[in-house]
Amino acid sequence: MSHILRNHRAAALVGAAIIAGAACLPFTVNLSDAFAASANTGGILASSGSFASIVDADKPAVVTITTTVKATDVSIDQQESPMDEQFRQFFEGQGIPLPHPAPQQRGSQHAMALGSGFIISPDGVIVTNNHVIDNAVDIKVTLDDGTELPAKLIGADPKSDVAVLKIAAPRPLQTIAWGDSDKLKLGDQILAIGNPFGIGTTVTAGIVSARGRDLHSGPYDDFIQIDAPINHGNSGGPLVDREGNVVGINTAIYSPNGGSVGVGFAIPSDEAKSIVAKLQKDGSIDHGYLGVQIQPVTKDVADAVGLAKTGGALVAAVTADTAAAHAGLKPGDIVTAVGSQTVKTPKDLSRLVADLSPGAKETLSVWRDGKTMDLDVTVGGNENSQKQAAAESSDSQGQSSGQPSLGIGLADLTPDVRQQLDLPHSASGAVVASVNPEKSAAAAGIQSGDVIVSVNDKPVHNTRDVKTAIADAGKAGRKSVLLLIERNGNKTFVAVPFAAT
């Protein structure tokens, strides 16, 4: 089993063993006071500082979820899943090494997996993580008193990693009320409740370590980081505040050794509540799809295109025959708003688009050619293999000076050069023949062999076009220039500050 706990897929061992899923956030909804009372803790701790009153009220609403999963008969040298790789890239990008998972062995056709959940309705509606029940052929729920009941899947959303189950409640059941995750501050005390390793319902305490963590796993990444110990089996369990209300769903942990090291991640309740409501109503969520690749707007990018400040999402590529293409979006456009909602980062655009329903009509505010314009878009449907907006990281930063020099040598695209770079005959632009390691182009990541396709959103066909466009930018008082480069078949924008010659 991977030491990286997934937030979209449970890590189920192939075989008959019961294992815990990733640490996940719990969701609770109090739909009716007529059937059962919600947790009532008085909103304060006991004078001794004990959490006992909170645990007494909330623990009866936390359940254990056991699933029978259809196991894939895989080879011993099976590769890591895409989610494993995303976690690995995120943490190794922070300088934190991760061990590679142990190879899986061939086993039986079914495996057992275990996670947690919590009751949001007295008649037996339960919230958990999607990865806890993903690919399950049978789901069972064990209540706090030991009663085991079959569960039916009401709805699931892999992109947010949320699922809703229903059991036939033998009596009105205890529920937990939603809290307000937006009010959480760093250092606030929290409790995590779940069933780690299948040993039984367990409560651990800690604090909020960070907010807004993005693990690059989907458009809804906005995790609460906590230091309360959570382990295999905590997935889907609730994260509660000092008033006993659910403020998150425990979803994932960073672990170099398979156990808790005090770095856990939870889905904020304010994000989860609306998703749960949609799943209860419709059983699934059709996310909007735009059809663009986007990247951040750095200061250099803003300077290059004449924006007064950073903010927005820079369109690096537009997929043909998509909502974005039909609306007229172009590479080099900077999306600054969706309807009345401001887009400050690529993540904002991803989330706003994902929240829209396919077929919805919306207006995009776009910065193009030095002015703002509005584009009407009919949002498309999202396929499983697609992302709403693929946010690309950008390392394009450097020191700004005043003279229009980038520190690169250019050459025209001759037939021989096209052949060497494996470019089609129709390819146009200028190839970077050399890069001065002490100049701004090198600092921005420009490499020999890169093909410059456009300069400040204007297509270029040869070295003369590139030099003219760079000179024009300098004359216009720009502090940097925005290059669209092609490398290994992929296109991306790079903002290069002017360097002194």
Side-chain angles (χ1 to χ4, degrees):
M1 176 179 181
S2 171
H3 293 309
I4 307 166
L5 299 187
R6 303 155 175 81
N7 61 339
H8 284 280
R9 296 189 181 276
L13 290 177
V14 177
I18 295 180
I19 65 165
C24 311
L25 301 177
F27 292 86
T28 57
V29 175
N30 185 14
L31 298 180
S32 173
D33 291 331
F35 293 96
S38 297
N40 182 8
T41 64
I44 59 173
L45 294 177
S47 58
S48 63
S50 172
F51 293 102
S53 62
I54 296 175
V55 175
D56 287 345
D58 288 354
K59 183 173 175 287
V62 180
V63 302
T64 297
I65 300 172
T66 307
T67 61
T68 302
V69 182
K70 186 175 182 180
T72 304
D73 193 15
V74 296
S75 61
I76 276 183
D77 58 349
Q78 182 183 19
Q79 298 293 316
E80 293 181 9
S81 73
M83 184 57 62
D84 277 337
E85 181 60 25
Q86 289 170 353
F87 270 83
R88 182 176 301 282
Q89 290 176 359
F90 172 77
F91 285 108
E92 291 183 349
Q94 313 300 317
I96 304 173
L98 291 177
H100 287 274
Q104 295 182 340
Q105 297 180 348
R106 296 178 182 270
S108 62
Q109 293 183 348
H110 292 88
M112 302 296 292
L114 177 141
S116 302
F118 56 94
I119 302 169
I120 64 170
S121 170
D123 60 351
V125 178
I126 296 167
V127 173
T128 187
N129 282 128
N130 174 74
H131 75 251
V132 170
I133 53 83
D134 194 26
N135 295 322
V137 295
D138 183 67
I139 305 172
K140 287 185 170 58
V141 167
T142 303
L143 303 179
D144 186 57
D145 64 3
T147 302
E148 184 179 279
L149 299 167
K152 177 184 178 182
L153 178 63
I154 298 298
D157 180 40
K159 290 191 176 299
S160 61
D161 199 14
V162 176
V164 178
L165 308 177
K166 179 70 169 64
I167 59 175
R171 61 187 182 280
L173 301 175
Q174 181 70 52
T175 67
I176 312 177
W178 288 107
D180 187 351
S181 59
D182 279 352
K183 292 183 178 180
L184 284 181
K185 297 180 180 179
L186 302 192
D188 281 352
Q189 291 177 307
I190 41 82
L191 297 178
I193 310 176
N195 188 352
F197 305 113
I199 62 176
T201 303
T202 301
V203 182
T204 56
I207 64 170
V208 175
S209 303
R211 295 296 310 269
R213 291 300 195 201
D214 184 357
L215 302 183
H216 308 298
S217 60
Y220 292 102
D221 278 17
D222 187 28
F223 289 102
I224 302 167
Q225 182 180 328
I226 61 174
D227 72 347
I230 50 179
N231 290 282
H232 305 295
N234 278 103
S235 292
L239 184 76
V240 302
D241 60 16
R242 286 174 36 136
E243 297 185 358
N245 297 325
V246 175
V247 290
I249 301 175
N250 301 311
T251 301
I253 65 172
Y254 162 71
S255 176
N257 55 21
S260 173
V261 293
V263 183
F265 303 95
I267 301 169
S269 61
D270 288 351
E271 174 185 308
K273 285 187 291 187
S274 61
I275 296 172
V276 169
K278 291 178 181 178
L279 291 176
Q280 286 183 268
K281 179 182 178 181
D282 301 322
S284 63
I285 298 177
D286 292 326
H287 295 283
Y289 173 65
L290 195 56
V292 293
Q293 292 182 6
I294 52 180
Q295 62 187 78
V297 178
T298 64
K299 185 178 184 304
D300 292 331
V301 170
D303 289 341
V305 299
L307 269 177
K309 59 181 180 180
T310 61
L314 174 63
V315 177
V318 177
T319 304
D321 198 28
T322 61
H326 296 158
L329 270 176
K330 299 178 180 180
D333 287 346
I334 296 178
V335 181
T336 58
V338 177
S340 61
Q341 301 188 71
T342 301
V343 173
K344 296 181 179 179
T345 66
K347 178 58 66 176
D348 289 343
L349 180 58
S350 294
R351 185 170 299 159
L352 290 171
V353 171
D355 284 341
L356 295 172
S357 299
K361 298 183 183 299
E362 193 54 270
T363 300
L364 302 180
S365 296
V366 172
W367 180 263
R368 179 190 294 174
D369 295 332
K371 60 182 182 292
T372 298
M373 61 184 301
D374 291 335
L375 297 177
D376 294 327
V377 61
T378 301
V379 179
N382 183 59
E383 300 178 0
N384 290 335
S385 61
Q386 297 172 320
K387 295 183 178 179
Q388 284 76 16
E392 299 178 351
S393 62
S394 176
D395 298 325
S396 308
Q397 301 186 26
Q399 296 299 317
S400 172
S401 183
Q403 302 298 321
S405 173
L406 307 183
I408 56 175
L410 300 173
D412 287 330
L413 281 178
T414 65
D416 288 342
V417 172
R418 288 189 182 92
Q419 184 176 4
Q420 292 175 10
L421 297 178
D422 196 23
L423 296 173
H425 178 73
S426 58
S428 63
V431 64
V432 177
S434 62
V435 181
N436 187 331
E438 298 180 356
K439 296 293 185 178
S440 56
I446 299 295
Q447 301 176 10
S448 296
D450 288 345
V451 177
I452 300 175
V453 179
S454 75
V455 178
N456 285 348
D457 297 336
K458 298 185 181 300
V460 293
H461 300 90
N462 49 47
T463 57
R464 176 178 296 180
D465 289 350
V466 174
K467 293 177 180 179
T468 299
I470 292 174
D472 289 344
K475 293 176 183 177
R478 298 285 176 85
K479 298 179 180 179
S480 59
V481 65
L482 187 64
L483 307 180
L484 178 60
I485 66 168
E486 182 171 349
R487 180 187 301 165
N488 298 327
N490 298 314
K491 292 181 180 179
T492 187
F493 282 100
V494 178
V496 184
F498 291 137
T501 56

